[in-house]
Amino acid sequence: MEIGVVLPVYNQRPQYIYECIKSLESQLFRNFQLVIVIDGANTETGKAVKKASKMLTIPYEIIFRNENKGIAYSLNQGFSHLNDCRFLTWVSSDNRHDPKFLQTLYEHLVNAPEETVLVYSLFKLIDQNGKNRVNDEIRRKKLEDFMSRNKADILQQNFIGASFLFKQSAYDKAGGYDSKFEKVEDYEFWIRLLRIGEIKFIAHFLMEYRLNGEHAYTTITQPEDIRIKSIAASHYHHMKQGNTPKVTVMTRFYNQRKNIRQAIESVLNQTLQDFQLIVIDDGSTDNPWEEILQYNDTRIIPVKIENGGKARALNIGLKFALGEYILELDGDDWLEHDTLETIVSGMSKQLDDVDLSLGDRKIYPNTKLK
């Protein structure tokens, strides 16, 4: 078989399982094999999988496991039964796939340059009832801009999404999925996979991603927990690669969207460029996230959390600080162009028992940097 597909299933609504498997049976590309891994699911879910799989006319296998071991473990187990497939993907039991899902991904990967290890596409958002959440054409431009990034940007933000196909050889070389990063196992895997080869973005909607399903991990897990786990995965790989800048700048925003660009760009324009910038959106209601994500720079670590106050936000940021020195910048302030260079130079001349330096500041009432 050319393509191997793994479908991990934990507790799930039977209707969603039926719709997912039906969408796989409806694929125009037929040279694929399906492995369904029942990951300690309840009896109702197991029965639903058995019933829905009877419609399949493509080769398939069902692996039953009484103990729930998570998605990463299930994926590795499923892929181990697909060693003869050139290409691999996996799907969630509450999503639906366009009939051209596999065909389009396959054609693009086969015709891509040899060094390409992954292709991925746009995806639609549906609610728990299968209805479109937003107008796809209105959403398309922003989504294309976000997803068509350089592969190095994966350390800043996961832009790949839920519709993808990758090479078996690259999966083997990357070492498969890591259970230590459960809930963000895909993101952590992408970081390793993208070191091996190139990627290609396909600007077509090829699947429907369901939000707010009762058993979806995005429903049962707090969004902040998922975001923090993603940052932890990125931090782990920054550390592993020895990415330890001279300075970490932490800036926390709360309803200060109008000041974001000024603060961020004052850091990006420093004479000392050996820095990391942790930008923390502390539960703002003025939607600063769009402004923050416009900066495609792997030195920027965007952190989005629930509002809990400045101290909590900075303590979260400190967990991911890589720099030898740390500077805190308020969201409505900015740095002079040589601030980092000046403070690093000053600290380097101090005795070893000096842990803190202070500098003067200028006060500008209701003005912006010119």
Side-chain angles (χ1 to χ4, degrees):
M1 290 292 166
E2 282 287 88
I3 297 178
V5 181
V6 173
L7 170 58
V9 183
Y10 186 44
N11 298 336
Q12 190 57 271
R13 183 185 292 186
Q15 179 62 28
Y16 293 171
I17 294 172
Y18 174 83
E19 291 178 10
C20 175
I21 291 179
K22 182 180 179 181
S23 74
L24 293 175
E25 171 59 25
S26 301
Q27 292 300 300
L28 297 178
F29 184 92
R30 306 303 294 172
N31 193 4
F32 76 98
Q33 180 177 347
L34 174 65
V35 174
I36 304 172
V37 182
I38 299 182
D39 184 25
N42 58 35
T43 301
E44 180 186 35
T45 298
K47 289 181 178 179
V49 170
K50 287 182 180 180
K51 182 177 180 181
S53 62
K54 291 180 180 178
M55 76 174 77
L56 291 170
T57 60
I58 49 94
Y60 74 94
E61 175 184 0
I62 301 177
I63 299 173
F64 289 92
R65 190 173 62 244
N66 291 326
E67 180 183 359
N68 175 249
K69 293 190 175 183
I71 292 177
Y73 186 96
S74 298
L75 293 176
N76 288 334
Q77 184 179 23
F79 288 137
S80 71
H81 289 241
L82 297 166
N83 288 324
D84 294 331
C85 298
R86 292 175 62 197
F87 308 109
L88 301 172
T89 190
W90 73 273
V91 298
S92 296
S93 58
D94 55 352
N95 294 339
R96 303 186 304 210
H97 304 82
D98 186 274
K100 293 183 178 181
F101 168 67
L102 291 179
Q103 177 180 300
T104 304
L105 293 172
Y106 176 80
E107 289 175 351
H108 279 268
L109 188 49
V110 166
N111 293 316
E114 181 61 29
E115 62 271 18
T116 305
V117 297
L118 169 78
V119 295
Y120 60 105
S121 79
L122 296 171
F123 57 95
K124 299 179 180 180
L125 297 177
I126 57 175
D127 63 18
Q128 62 267 40
N129 299 314
K131 304 291 186 180
N132 276 12
R133 282 282 299 260
V134 293
N135 185 300
D136 294 319
E137 291 309 313
I138 293 176
R139 178 171 169 263
R140 175 189 287 273
K141 182 61 170 64
K142 289 183 179 179
L143 197 58
E144 285 185 8
D145 290 343
F146 176 71
M147 296 181 72
S148 56
R149 296 189 173 199
N150 294 322
K151 68 174 186 176
D153 292 340
I154 196 68
L155 279 169
Q156 182 189 24
Q157 188 82 2
N158 183 14
F159 55 83
I160 290 177
S163 174
F164 50 80
L165 185 70
F166 52 87
K167 291 182 177 179
Q168 168 95 251
S169 58
Y171 167 84
D172 293 338
K173 192 171 182 178
Y177 284 81
D178 191 336
S179 294
K180 294 196 302 291
F181 296 95
E182 192 70 26
K183 304 297 185 186
V184 294
E185 60 283 313
D186 253 345
Y187 176 48
E188 192 276 333
F189 177 63
W190 301 144
I191 294 174
R192 287 182 283 120
L193 190 75
L194 268 56
R195 291 190 200 140
I196 295 170
E198 301 303 317
I199 60 176
K200 182 178 180 181
F201 170 59
I202 305 168
H204 296 292
F205 290 104
L206 296 179
M207 56 91 67
E208 295 174 324
Y209 184 86
R210 194 184 304 269
L211 297 174
N212 299 329
E214 59 186 300
H215 297 296
Y217 80 85
T218 51
T219 299
I220 62 179
T221 307
Q222 290 296 319
E224 180 179 298
D225 291 342
I226 297 173
R227 290 191 289 264
I228 294 297
K229 286 177 181 290
S230 295
I231 299 166
S234 174
H235 178 75
Y236 170 80
H237 284 282
H238 274 293
M239 293 287 289
K240 194 172 181 180
Q241 294 175 29
N243 296 340
T244 51
K246 184 61 71 173
V247 184
T248 290
V249 179
M250 295 195 304
T251 181
R252 171 256 188 186
F253 293 96
Y254 177 68
N255 289 345
Q256 294 168 316
R257 178 170 179 166
K258 64 181 181 180
N259 303 119
I260 286 177
R261 287 183 173 273
Q262 182 172 323
I264 291 177
E265 290 175 11
S266 77
V267 179
L268 295 179
N269 294 327
Q270 287 294 297
T271 55
L272 176 68
Q273 288 288 296
D274 187 16
F275 64 80
Q276 170 200 33
L277 174 58
I278 300 178
V279 181
I280 307 167
D281 171 17
D282 188 20
S284 299
T285 59
D286 60 352
N287 194 24
W289 206 237
E290 289 186 1
E291 297 281 352
I292 295 169
L293 293 183
Q294 287 186 30
Y295 294 94
N296 298 345
D297 190 319
T298 55
R299 295 173 300 177
I300 299 177
I301 305 299
V303 182
K304 184 178 177 68
I305 59 176
E306 301 300 321
N307 179 248
K310 182 176 180 179
R312 176 177 181 268
L314 294 178
N315 281 331
I316 290 174
L318 281 172
K319 295 178 182 179
F320 307 112
L322 296 165
E324 180 181 351
Y325 302 114
I326 297 173
L327 183 147
E328 188 265 313
L329 176 68
D330 283 348
D332 57 353
D333 292 342
W334 64 85
L335 301 179
E336 297 289 349
H337 74 286
D338 59 349
T339 296
L340 298 187
E341 183 178 4
T342 300
I343 61 172
V344 168
S345 175
M347 283 294 287
S348 67
K349 297 174 183 177
Q350 304 303 314
L351 298 176
D352 290 342
D353 61 351
V354 175
D355 297 320
L356 173 70
S357 67
L358 304 175
D360 203 353
R361 62 178 180 175
K362 299 177 181 178
I363 305 297
Y364 294 90
N366 297 321
T367 188
K368 288 190 175 183
L369 183 64
K370 300 298 183 182

